[in-house]
Structure formats: structure tokens, C-alpha cells
């Protein structure tokens, strides 16, 4: 949810920088249904049916990343999408290294007011002795703030990539600064 909000906020930066949102229609996105399917899969395992077979949930979580990865590969022609993909890859590395769950630090969970979950699947949760913990959800939007949550370096890279891609696609004033000389 935090990433979705960040992406929506990015859209507001486009007109402020002289870009035209209407130019997004010209993007030739291929196989976008793969990303939509991945999103739906994550909604099911995290929100609708978080209880049940944890192993199956972890496999489904990894499968959602495979679906998004396939979509990204079909769309690498979009400028700066590779930066978004790099952020997703950082997250995937942390998730694979921890058996299908994004490790979250206790400090970040406490700061966000989320706390560790028990008895149900969470795509991000406390993992004792996490592998590659520095790639996990170690940052927090504090409790009491809108969209309080935890996030990772991969999430930051994805949002930065989305910023670059959106501004390049919409021809904002920032896009000229992003162009190679």
C-alpha cells in the first residue's frame, strides 16, 4: 500500500515539472496483465486469505515476483524501467534469502506500529536471524502518520525509478536533465 501511495504522489510531480500526464497514453506497455495478476495474487495471500498453508503462501509470494519480472522483461524499452526492476530485484533477493518472506527489522516494525505477525502470512515480517537483513524492510513511516508502514532500500530504488520513468515519458522539464548528452 505504501508503494502504491508513493507512485500516486509521483503523478502529482509531473504537472508541477511541466510534464503532461496525457503522454502516458503513448507508452506501449506489453503484457501488463502479468503485473495485474501479480498484484491480485498478493492481495489474496496478504489481505483476503493470510491464514493457511504458510509454505503455499511463500511460493505464491515468489510467484508474484516472477509474474512482475516477466512483465518488466517485456517492457524494458520504457526508459528507466530498468531502475524500477533493480529495486524489485533487491527485494526479491531478500525474499528468496529468507524463504519467501521480506525480513522486517524489529525497530522498523515497532516504529511503524505494526509489530510482528503470528499465525498468518505476511509478505513482510520479523525474521529472526534474517539473511541479508540490510535489504529487508528496515525503514519505517512512523505510527500516527498516514500510511504508516515499513519499507526497504529496494522500495526506495523502485520509487526513484518510477519518478525517472514517469518524468521521461511525460516530457517534464526534469526529463531534459535526465537525457543522456
Amino acid at each position: 500500500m505504501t508503494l502504491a501511495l508513493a507512485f500516486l504522489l509521483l503523478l502529482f510531480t509531473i504537472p508541477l515539472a511541466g510534464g503532461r500526464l496525457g503522454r502516458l497514453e503513448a507508452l506501449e506497455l506489453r503484457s501488463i496483465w502479468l503485473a495485474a495478476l501479480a498484484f491480485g495474487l498478493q492481495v489474496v495471500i496478504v489481505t483476503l486469505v493470510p491464514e493457511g498453508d504458510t509454505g503455499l503462501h511463500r511460493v505464491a509470494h515468489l510467484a508474484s515476483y516472477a509474474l512482475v519480472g516477466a512483465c518488466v522483461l517485456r517492457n524494458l524499452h520504457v526508459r528507466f524501467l530498468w531502475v524500477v526492476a533493480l529495486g524489485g530485484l533487491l527485494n526479491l533477493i531478500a525474499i528468496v534469502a529468507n524463504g519467501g518472506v521480506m525480513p522486517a527489522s524489529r525497530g522498523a516494525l515497532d516504529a511503524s506500529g505494526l509489530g510482528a505477525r503470528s499465525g498468518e502470512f505476511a509478505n513482510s515480517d520479523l525474521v529472526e536471524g534474517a539473511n541479508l537483513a540490510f535489504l529487508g524492510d528496515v525503514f519505517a513511516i512512523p505510527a500516527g502518520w498516514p500510511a504508516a508502514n515499513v519499507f526497504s532500500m529496494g522500495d526506495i530504488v523502485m520509487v526513484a525509478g518510477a519518478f525517472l520513468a514517469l518524468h521521461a515519458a511525460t516530457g517534464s522539464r526534469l526529463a531534459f536533465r535526465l537525457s543522456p548528452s
Side-chain angles (χ1 to χ4, degrees), residues 2-179:
T2 303
L3 278 179
L5 243 92
F7 290 134
L8 284 174
L9 289 174
L10 288 180
L11 289 175
F12 289 110
T13 68
I14 292 168
L16 295 174
R20 291 198 327 252
L21 290 170
R23 287 189 176 177
L24 292 175
E25 287 183 56
L27 277 179
E28 293 181 26
L29 298 177
R30 302 175 187 134
S31 304
I32 201 72
W33 65 270
L34 291 167
L37 184 60
F39 177 75
L41 185 56
Q42 286 216 3
V43 167
V44 167
I45 65 173
V46 174
T47 307
L48 299 178
V49 190
E51 63 282 330
D53 186 346
T54 304
L56 182 61
H57 280 80
R58 289 175 181 217
V59 168
H61 189 213
L62 290 169
S64 72
Y65 272 80
L67 289 167
V68 170
C71 180
V72 166
L73 288 174
R74 299 270 300 133
N75 290 289
L76 284 175
H77 62 280
V78 176
R79 281 184 68 207
F80 299 110
L81 188 62
W82 68 269
V83 180
V84 178
L86 176 62
L89 180 61
L90 292 173
N91 284 349
L92 179 61
I93 289 168
I95 291 166
V96 168
N98 290 283
V101 175
M102 172 62 91
S105 72
R106 184 175 303 281
L109 287 168
D110 289 346
S112 67
L114 295 177
R117 300 218 184 135
S118 64
E120 59 183 40
F121 177 77
N123 60 344
S124 173
D125 204 356
L126 182 65
V127 175
E128 295 294 342
N131 298 308
L132 303 173
F134 66 96
L135 289 177
D137 286 338
V138 296
F139 305 105
I141 298 172
W145 285 46
N149 208 338
V150 293
F151 59 98
S152 67
M153 182 54 70
D155 295 337
I156 293 169
V157 172
M158 283 193 292
V159 170
F163 179 88
L164 294 170
L166 287 170
H167 280 273
T170 59
S172 82
R173 287 187 299 273
L174 297 176
F176 295 110
R177 293 192 175 120
L178 302 174
S179 298

